Structure formats: structure tokens, C-alpha cells
Amino acid sequence: MHAYYYDNSTADQRELHDSGHAVTIEQLHSMHIEYMKLEGTPEENLEKINKLCVERGYQNRDEIAISPTLLENYEAKLKIFFAEHIHEDEEIRFVLEGHGFFDVCDKVGRWVRILVEQGDLLVVPAGIYHQFSLDTSNYICAMRLFKEDPKWTPISRPEADTNKYHVDYQRSVTEFS
């Protein structure tokens, strides 16, 4: 996992966009972002994920593979994933193969880019503005975990600004710091 402030250039979203200013794991924790590197065998990693599901109340999971040949309307879907949004549930992803970027908005409105790759498990809290993109390899396969039925419902600005989950998230990072 490599995290840094996004450089805000207009280059392709799949480029690194590394500003040269690193973000530490402690800074991610202050945003309530959780990260783990699972480096065991597939069976050992599955055991760890199953334990995490019990601890956090996750009942369902699926796998999503994203590439130009695997995802219908690939370019249009990438634009949807890259539009800033929130969710009313945590977003938890375990990267099985490939690479991608989760961009999360810190409490003062700066974008932090998190490069994830095989073995990375990332938990993005409910209510945080974020966006997702592949890198230039154009491929990722990830396990998605859900508390209830698998769903992916983004809430965009401006309606997200007053959403209870976003307001609660903003309050929690303000109190945490």
C-alpha cells in the first residue's frame, strides 16, 4: 500500500498523480481508513477474511473483476467509479489480483490516493467522500464484503453533503483529531 496526496492534474485518472507528499498509515487511521496486508496462502487469507466477517457482521461477499474485456461499458463504468461519492455502508475490498486506486477526501478537502494491490485489504468508512480508478494496467479483481445483500449505491454531491452518514463521518473525524 502506498498513500499520498493527489496532485490534482488533469492527466488520465489511471496515472499515479503522486504529488510527492506521502500520507502515513497513522494519517489514514485518523480518517478511519483501515488497512491490512494479507500475505498468506489463499486458504490462510480466506480464514482471516472469514474471521473479519464475523467480527464486523459481514454476511455476503462477491468478487468483481474489472478490465476492458471483463466489464461491459468499461470506460463509462470507470467514469462512474471515479465520480466522488459516499456510501451508507463501509466499503471493504480485498485485492485478489491487479492494482487500483482508492482516493479518499480528508477532513479539509484534500484528496489522498491509496494504491492497492494483491493482498491489500482496505476498509473505507461510511460517509467519506471517495472515488476509485484502475491504474494503467487496467485490471483488478477484488473481493467485496457486505453486511447485507450485495449492493453498491453511490450518493453524490450535493445530496451527500447533508446525508446523515456523511455528517456523522465528518463529526467523527473532527472529534478524533
Side-chain angles (χ1 to χ4, degrees):
M1 188 270 312
H2 178 61
Y4 49 88
Y5 287 104
Y6 191 87
D7 69 6
N8 294 321
S9 81
T10 58
D12 187 317
Q13 69 197 40
R14 292 170 274 211
E15 298 294 333
L16 285 176
H17 291 277
D18 191 340
S19 67
H21 299 284
V23 173
T24 66
I25 194 74
E26 291 80 13
Q27 287 172 291
L28 292 178
H29 286 162
S30 75
M31 299 167 64
H32 306 300
I33 305 286
E34 296 179 44
Y35 168 79
M36 285 184 264
K37 181 71 168 184
L38 303 183
E39 299 184 280
T41 65
E43 294 79 21
E44 290 168 336
N45 289 343
L46 186 58
E47 196 173 303
K48 291 174 188 173
I49 288 170
N50 288 340
K51 183 179 178 209
L52 182 73
C53 286
V54 170
E55 290 170 0
R56 296 182 84 98
Y58 284 92
Q59 303 295 317
N60 286 296
R61 67 185 74 176
D62 68 9
E63 289 182 15
I64 184 168
I66 304 171
S67 78
T69 58
L70 296 173
L71 186 63
E72 192 174 317
N73 300 318
Y74 172 76
E75 291 293 336
K77 291 276 173 74
L78 268 190
K79 284 182 179 23
I80 292 169
F81 296 154
F82 196 64
E84 68 177 321
H85 60 276
I86 68 164
H87 298 289
E88 293 184 344
D89 291 316
E90 312 183 301
E91 188 163 337
I92 185 166
R93 302 293 182 261
F94 174 57
V95 181
L96 300 166
E97 298 178 305
H99 324 92
F101 300 111
F102 272 91
D103 300 335
V104 294
C105 193
D106 74 7
K107 68 180 179 181
V108 295
R110 296 173 299 185
W111 285 98
V112 173
R113 176 153 272 200
I114 305 167
L115 170 64
V116 292
E117 58 191 359
Q118 185 174 355
D120 288 345
L121 187 139
L122 192 67
V123 180
V124 178
I128 188 173
Y129 276 111
H130 66 282
Q131 54 198 23
F132 173 79
S133 181
L134 293 181
D135 67 359
T136 55
S137 70
N138 287 313
Y139 176 72
I140 196 168
C141 180
M143 180 183 295
R144 305 185 301 175
L145 304 175
F146 303 93
K147 289 191 177 182
E148 296 174 6
D149 292 332
K151 66 178 179 179
W152 187 84
T153 307
I155 304 166
S156 302
R157 288 186 196 260
E159 68 186 274
D161 289 337
T162 56
N163 177 281
K164 173 193 180 332
Y165 293 89
H166 177 67
V167 171
D168 288 350
Y169 171 76
Q170 288 294 101
R171 186 178 305 116
S172 74
V173 293
T174 302
E175 292 169 357
F176 186 76
S177 54

